Amino acid sequence: MATPQQLQLHAPLSGVLVPLDLVPDPVFSSRVIGDGLCIDPTSTTLCAPLAGVVSNVQASGHAVSITDEKGVQVLMHIGLDTVNLAGNGFTRLVEEGQQVDVGQALIEFDADFVALNARSLLTLMLVVSGEPFTWLAPETGLVDSGQPLLSLNLVEQTSDTPLTEAEEALFSKPVTLANLNGLHARPAAVFAQAAKAFSASIYLHKKQETANAKSLVAIMALQTAHGDVMQVSAAGPDAEAAIKTLAELLLTGCGEVVAGPVQVEVNAVEASSLTVLRGVCASPGSAFGQVVQIAEQNLEVNELGSTPQVERDHLSRALAEALVALQQMRDNAKSDAQADIFKAHQELLEDPGLLEVAHVLIDEGKSAGFAWRSATESAATLFKSLGNALLAERAADLADVSQRVLKQILGVRDQVMELPEGAILIAEQLTPSQTAGLDTRKVLGFATVGGGATSHVAILARAFGLPAICGLSVQVLALVNGTQVLLDADKGELQLDPDLQAIEQLQAKRQLQQQRRQHELAHATLAACTRDGHHFEVTANIASLVEAEQAVALGGEGVGLLRSEFLYLDRNHAPSHDEQASTYNAIAQVLGPTRNLVVRTLDVGGDKPLAYVPMDSETNPFLGMRGIRLCLERPQLLRDQFKAILGSVGLARLHIMLPMVTQLAELRLARQLLEEEALVLGLTELPRLGIMIEVPAAALMADLFAPEVDFFSIGTNDLTQYTLAMDRDHPRLASQADSFHPAVLRLIASTVKAAHAHGKWVGVCGAMASETLAVPLLLGLGVDELSVSVPLIPSIKAAVRELDLMDCQAIAQQVLGLESAGQVREALRLYHEATVDTSLVLEN
Ligand code: PEP
Ligand code: MG
């Protein structure tokens, strides 16, 4: 019987116990999610190991968490990488919030299907709330479902105090999740771990839902999906740093590869036959080359030194020399990120805590080398023991600095290794210094046992554009030098026996993409004119001054959408008039008097909460007080914004655009407020005033709106969700909520017709305009301007230059009569293949 301070966890399945250390997935074997056990199942119903409430069951049915009344949280995760199965093979038997008894069936799964289609069936049961446990049965061998396995020692839980009104919460900018499967167990664990490094109370927000960012289960319970817009908020002494780090982590995929589409792989055979070693992506890309093993020099130091004064002098000379060497590396750094790493290393050299420990040891008679190594090793051990992935990675920096100073003390020169061409470096762990010193003419990439996606080594690899994976099993260290391998960092794989055809295809594809990108960049400043001489304006969607600068540098012909709600997201209080005005001024000045600047007034609500505009929670925020509706309800907010925008008249070709307009009365009232504010300022000439066409009502009544506006800009993101009645963030509708749906295209066509009948121009600023495939279609439908995401400006301009307007009109008419978005995409793909000769782009 368990005592009141203990809790028994029962086997959730029958099967064979597998040591957690052997689970071929570092996120589990490293225990970053929590300690527990792994079962290779022989039964197919996952049962509750404890009584409690189902605190989360993933929509895809592969993972479930139970929280008991004392706060113990246990996560069960069926199989590895099973999130990719998108629910196939799993049947959920319980709902979130449901109370369950020990042994109650939670999820049924089709073992044959999962085994064939996922990486592995290995099932994890992890104590994510962190209580220590003892085993009630042998740690290996067979177990029966329901058998008592672990005894948890319950400890007092301290919970984060939720944010109160009194605490100044800071908010990050919204971040769109690029993780293909949202924040499932692996990225959620990385995020929660990182959040725990801060003392601030931190929350993760998805629309109206909020989760404690330090709780893995709470994050998973948000059921996030690819494309979800998230915000991080924090209150407390290190809130600002927390927001910065965590927003960046979200943006970069929380340890998952997020650059480009991720392919769902069916790899059970490969995984077991050891032709593939798996880790996690530290830097994307791929390379084919030969193994070069790198081992760190083992430095011998004498424990005892001469007099303390001599040893102190030794140490301070070595520290000074290391400081100079790092300064040189800083000066030669190829990026700010790289320079920052060496700056951090310099700070470690001057850390008073480390020096104090070293000096005490020297005073006890130890040598400078011994004292310095002991001081840095004990600090690194402390970092590693805190159970925090980020701090553990900082231990690698400390080891690097330690080694650098030791070499100075011992007078050891770095061994210069003659590298062969096409080297793929393999190491237990590369230090940031080693990485920074890599000869990128010879090194094509690297793979390590240690390290992490957020480590400095990973940052450096990304700065160099070198593909890299980390977290591989130690088997990688046994590979013989010269072995040919294919490093596919995007998939987190090192292929040991690569198929030559696959290598060639991968290389050819990447080369073509790179050449195309270079060609597009080289021609970015050329106008976007079709072959038959029609000019189309390609402008940028921006949310900051920096993006305005980038847009101009990349050949943007103006700004077609400034999402003004993103300018001051991290504020609790509205920015002052002067602050707003100076932001608009700065952006307008970057563009200059010949380029358009379309400032959209605040589009708050829906999926975009704004900290300084508190709103009641709504059952259906996308159909609620959003955009112009909210601003007209709080006219002072709109007046203030108009006044600030009007301060930029004359600096750029200024346009003001109203979001979410549905009624003519909204447009008229907003115009009246604008005119009143202009009058107060004594302005005789008003900026152009236009509206977003993103509600079907506005599209259908475009003929009535057109005489009263100067321009339209079609927001295909919202127009699609409102036309198809599909939430733009809905994970399971993501593939259907497609702007290429003929219904959306018909609305675009009729809007353009109505606008042109009144001599008004029409832009498209929804994400559709940033898709190369959509370019002939939108031009053919008569759209005048494409406002696109900044990095894509050169590609979209290049796409326009490859087209003939007459052909575009023909294909546009043709697809308007099709039945589905799928058919439209297919027709456009065939048209693209038939008309655009990919070899041509490289010639002119
Ligand atoms: C749109 O809806 O297409 C649009 C551009 O606006 P947002 O994405 O900011 O809602
Ligand atoms: Mg919109």
Side-chain angles (χ1 to χ4, degrees):
M1 275 297 288
T3 68
Q5 282 75 40
Q6 295 194 314
L7 174 77
Q8 285 187 355
L9 296 188
H10 300 246
L13 289 161
S14 300
V16 183
L17 282 166
V18 175
L20 211 48
D21 290 317
L22 295 187
V23 174
D25 191 329
V27 81
F28 297 122
S29 58
S30 69
R31 295 167 173 76
V32 65
I33 294 179
D35 205 351
L37 53 81
C38 173
I39 297 176
D40 198 354
T42 51
S43 64
T44 56
T45 304
L46 184 87
C47 300
L50 73 169
V53 169
V54 177
S55 41
N56 169 239
V57 52
Q58 291 287 289
S60 42
H62 71 290
V64 58
S65 308
I66 297 190
T67 305
D68 88 347
E69 53 186 0
K70 297 203 173 67
V72 174
Q73 279 183 343
V74 179
L75 166 76
M76 278 132 308
H77 191 284
I78 305 172
L80 302 181
D81 288 353
T82 32
V83 65
N84 291 335
L85 300 182
N88 293 314
F90 298 96
T91 310
R92 291 186 297 164
L93 306 174
V94 288
E95 294 296 332
E96 252 172 41
Q98 188 177 328
Q99 176 74 39
V100 290
D101 287 332
V102 182
Q104 185 170 335
L106 304 172
I107 295 173
E108 259 170 18
F109 56 96
D110 180 339
D112 291 341
F113 179 86
V114 178
L116 277 174
N117 292 289
R119 229 174 107 197
S120 159
L121 248 181
L122 290 178
T123 295
L124 290 307
M125 178 177 91
L126 305 172
V127 183
V128 293
S129 46
E131 285 78 5
F133 56 75
T134 48
W135 283 82
L136 299 170
E139 295 179 30
T140 51
L142 282 172
V143 287
D144 288 328
S145 184
Q147 176 184 339
L149 278 185
L150 303 180
S151 169
L152 261 56
N153 298 319
L154 301 187
V155 285
E156 275 287 300
Q157 296 288 318
T158 50
S159 63
D160 259 328
T161 15
L163 298 181
T164 63
E165 287 297 309
E167 286 177 296
E168 288 272 290
L170 298 177
F171 280 75
S172 72
K173 292 199 169 180
V175 176
T176 305
L177 276 188
N179 300 63
L180 192 67
N181 294 306
L183 296 177
H184 61 101
R186 181 199 311 267
V190 171
F191 189 83
Q193 255 333 95
K196 284 183 201 158
F198 298 94
S199 60
S201 306
I202 308 173
Y203 288 82
L204 187 62
H205 306 265
K206 177 188 134 187
K207 293 200 229 159
Q208 315 285 324
E209 293 173 71
T210 294
N212 180 342
K214 297 179 186 177
S215 159
L216 164 79
V217 172
I219 297 173
M220 287 175 71
L222 284 179
Q223 303 269 14
T224 54
H226 179 246
D228 273 351
V229 178
M230 313 296 295
Q231 266 185 289
V232 185
S233 71
D238 51 4
E240 213 172 306
I243 297 263
K244 193 160 172 273
T245 305
L246 297 173
E248 174 70 12
L249 195 59
L250 278 183
L251 204 64
T252 50
C254 297
E256 281 196 328
V257 185
V258 291
V262 182
Q263 313 256 307
V264 175
E265 283 287 305
V266 178
N267 265 332
V269 180
E270 282 178 351
S272 57
S273 63
L274 267 193
T275 54
V276 176
L277 294 175
R278 288 174 200 280
V280 290
C281 176
S283 172
S286 63
F288 171 66
Q290 54 174 309
V291 163
V292 177
Q293 297 279 356
I294 303 280
E296 183 52 275
Q297 274 173 278
N298 209 354
L299 301 175
E300 298 280 336
V301 287
N302 289 331
E303 184 174 344
L304 297 181
S306 61
T307 65
Q309 193 49 52
V310 170
E311 297 301 328
R312 272 180 183 249
D313 287 351
H314 261 146
L315 180 59
S316 63
R317 210 169 323 117
L319 288 170
E321 282 161 1
L323 208 59
V324 171
L326 283 168
Q327 187 58 44
Q328 259 171 18
M329 295 175 81
R330 254 176 94 176
D331 296 342
N332 296 334
K334 294 194 177 69
S335 68
D336 287 351
Q338 203 178 334
D340 286 349
I341 292 169
F342 299 123
K343 183 165 169 256
H345 284 199
Q346 286 181 318
E347 279 162 16
L348 285 175
L349 292 178
E350 290 167 340
D351 187 277
L354 285 178
L355 285 181
E356 198 184 315
V357 176
H359 286 160
V360 168
L361 289 169
I362 287 176
D363 291 344
E364 286 171 5
K366 308 293 184 199
S367 71
F370 184 89
W372 173 250
R373 192 163 71 185
S374 306
T376 48
E377 273 180 2
S378 51
T381 311
L382 178 72
F383 278 9
K384 284 187 203 156
S385 71
L386 295 176
N388 175 307
L390 284 179
L391 277 182
E393 278 160 9
R394 296 299 88 89
D397 291 302
L398 207 52
D400 190 3
V401 170
S402 173
Q403 190 83 350
R404 175 178 295 285
V405 175
L406 268 185
K407 283 180 185 167
Q408 297 286 1
I409 293 174
L410 301 172
V412 173
R413 291 181 147 265
D414 274 324
Q415 287 170 356
V416 184
M417 188 173 171
E418 203 38 61
L419 289 173
E421 299 288 331
I424 306 265
L425 305 186
I426 309 287
E428 166 89 48
Q429 174 136 26
L430 283 177
T431 63
S433 307
Q434 283 171 326
T435 315
L438 290 180
D439 178 353
T440 45
R441 286 164 307 172
K442 291 186 171 170
V443 177
L444 300 182
F446 60 84
T448 59
V449 176
T454 51
S455 68
H456 280 153
V457 171
I459 294 170
L460 287 170
R462 288 195 286 267
F464 284 135
L466 278 182
I469 51 179
C470 55
L472 286 159
S473 80
V474 284
Q475 282 157 318
V476 76
L477 300 178
L479 292 179
V480 176
N481 277 340
T483 309
Q484 299 213 316
V485 286
L486 181 65
L487 174 71
D488 190 342
D490 296 341
K491 289 190 197 160
E493 286 180 358
L494 187 71
Q495 296 181 19
L496 306 187
D497 189 14
D499 162 353
L500 278 181
Q501 207 186 346
I503 297 165
E504 278 164 16
Q505 275 172 1
L506 200 75
Q507 284 176 333
K509 198 171 118 205
R510 289 211 188 266
Q511 217 170 7
L512 205 67
Q513 279 169 350
Q514 276 168 6
Q515 284 172 340
R516 180 173 253 274
R517 180 70 185 160
Q518 270 160 14
H519 180 268
E520 288 167 358
L521 284 171
H523 294 78
T525 52
L526 293 184
C529 286
T530 56
R531 288 176 198 265
D532 48 350
H534 297 270
H535 176 243
F536 289 86
E537 195 132 317
V538 177
T539 56
N541 290 351
I542 66 163
S544 67
L545 173 62
V546 173
E547 280 191 311
E549 287 161 349
Q550 289 167 344
V552 172
L554 287 174
E557 292 167 293
V559 164
L561 169 63
L562 166 58
R563 287 183 162 106
S564 67
E565 64 279 2
F566 286 175
L567 288 174
Y568 298 104
L569 273 181
D570 46 0
R571 299 297 176 84
N572 278 331
H573 309 289
S576 68
H577 165 79
D578 288 355
E579 203 174 352
Q580 285 194 57
S582 82
T583 308
Y584 296 128
N585 253 271
I587 293 174
Q589 268 164 2
V590 165
L591 298 173
T594 59
R595 292 193 183 90
N596 277 358
L597 167 57
V598 180
V599 184
R600 182 173 73 184
T601 56
L602 289 178
D603 182 20
V604 183
D607 58 344
K608 289 182 281 196
L610 192 57
Y612 67 82
V613 183
M615 292 179 61
D616 294 337
S617 99
E618 297 181 291
T619 323
N620 212 333
F622 272 127
L623 301 181
M625 293 308 297
R626 184 184 167 191
I628 194 67
R629 301 174 190 170
L630 183 87
C631 283
L632 289 175
E633 198 191 51
R634 303 175 197 203
Q636 197 52 45
L637 199 64
L638 191 59
R639 280 183 187 280
D640 290 346
Q641 191 176 15
F642 279 151
K643 210 187 307 170
I645 300 171
L646 288 171
S648 296
V649 165
L651 297 177
R653 279 167 46 192
L654 195 61
H655 294 62
I656 294 180
M657 177 157 73
L658 309 172
M660 281 291 290
V661 172
T662 315
Q663 325 269 15
L664 275 151
E666 292 165 338
L667 167 64
R668 290 176 186 150
L669 191 51
R671 182 183 286 284
Q672 187 191 327
L673 298 182
L674 177 64
E675 285 172 352
E676 284 170 15
E677 291 307 320
L679 197 66
V680 175
L681 295 173
L683 292 174
T684 45
E685 208 182 315
L686 279 181
R688 308 257 169 233
L689 182 65
I691 62 169
M692 298 273 300
I693 297 287
E694 52 185 348
V695 178
L700 291 166
M701 303 218 320
D703 56 332
L704 297 185
F705 278 102
E708 301 197 27
V709 297
D710 293 307
F711 66 95
F712 288 144
S713 186
I714 302 177
T716 46
N717 307 337
D718 279 313
L719 188 60
T720 304
Q721 82 162 341
Y722 295 127
T723 304
L724 304 183
M726 290 179 188
D727 184 337
R728 64 194 260 183
D729 296 330
H730 198 295
R732 290 207 297 285
L733 294 175
S735 63
Q736 288 187 62
D738 188 341
S739 300
F740 287 66
H741 193 290
V744 179
L745 304 185
R746 287 173 188 221
L747 288 176
I748 297 175
S750 63
T751 301
V752 172
K753 206 165 151 215
H756 286 179
H758 292 89
K760 308 295 162 69
W761 63 266
V762 183
V764 172
C765 61
M768 185 185 195
S770 300
E771 279 200 57
T772 315
L773 200 63
V775 175
L777 170 59
L778 294 175
L779 301 196
L781 289 175
V783 164
D784 305 288
E785 178 230 35
L786 299 173
S787 190
V788 308
S789 105
V790 173
L792 293 169
I793 294 170
S795 328
I796 297 298
K797 288 180 89 175
V800 173
R801 289 195 291 264
E802 287 167 13
L803 298 167
D804 235 302
L805 184 57
M806 294 274 277
D807 290 351
C808 296
Q809 287 164 345
I811 184 76
Q813 282 315 308
Q814 185 197 324
V815 301
L816 279 179
L818 295 178
E819 284 178 13
S820 66
Q823 285 184 356
V824 173
R825 282 186 180 272
E826 187 53 23
L828 290 170
R829 228 182 322 266
L830 293 174
Y831 171 75
H832 180 80
E833 276 168 21
T835 55
V836 179
D837 179 354
T838 43
S839 63
L840 271 182
V841 289
L842 304 175
E843 282 164 19
N844 49 41

